[in-house]
Amino acid sequence: AYSAGRAIGGPKLWPRVSPKKTWSGALGGLIVGALAATMVIRAFGVPVSVGAVFVALVCSAVSQLGDLVESAMKRRFGVKDSGGLIPGHGGVMDRLDGFLFAAFAAAIIGIWRGGLAAPAAGLLVW
């Protein structure tokens, strides 16, 4: 997302919350995130299906939403970093915000499709 946004530029995604994020970066992150997920699925020997690619796109988008939500919370409370454990990186939450949102979305999709007994199959097997 960062590389696409810097290379292409363009209109800002949500300037009040995250002034440097662009729509081109969001689209680049969405595509590269879905491609990376597809490569991981294939690496584990699971057939790549339209459903799996759709889940990858959803999780990629939700990950970016998590980053924006965390940025909005920091703006709301007037803090630059959410912690001091990783100096200059916005804190641990800044590193995990997208992952946590995407993991939650993946868990919901997996449970919805595969039930509590087989959420991984519900997530990956279409």
Side-chain angles (χ1 to χ4, degrees):
Y2 174 79
S3 296
R6 294 287 292 172
I8 300 168
K12 302 299 181 188
L13 184 62
W14 193 0
R16 201 173 81 230
V17 169
S18 194
K20 294 183 180 179
K21 287 185 177 63
T22 62
W23 281 100
S24 61
L27 186 59
L30 182 74
I31 292 168
V32 171
L35 286 173
T38 302
M39 289 173 19
V40 169
I41 291 168
R42 182 171 286 191
F44 280 97
V46 177
V48 177
S49 64
V50 173
V53 172
F54 176 74
V55 169
L57 287 167
V58 167
C59 288
S60 183
V62 169
S63 174
Q64 291 186 53
L65 176 65
D67 184 56
L68 287 170
V69 166
E70 204 260 346
S71 293
M73 287 184 355
K74 288 193 319 187
R75 292 249 183 237
R76 166 71 173 89
F77 293 104
V79 296
K80 174 76 174 136
D81 294 338
S82 58
L85 189 60
I86 310 173
H89 285 268
V92 173
M93 253 327 273
D94 221 19
R95 300 293 116 207
L96 295 175
D97 50 15
F99 171 77
L100 292 173
F101 270 62
F104 185 70
I108 288 173
I109 293 167
I111 291 169
W112 170 59
R113 294 197 64 250
L116 289 172
L123 182 65
L124 297 174
V125 180
W126 290 78

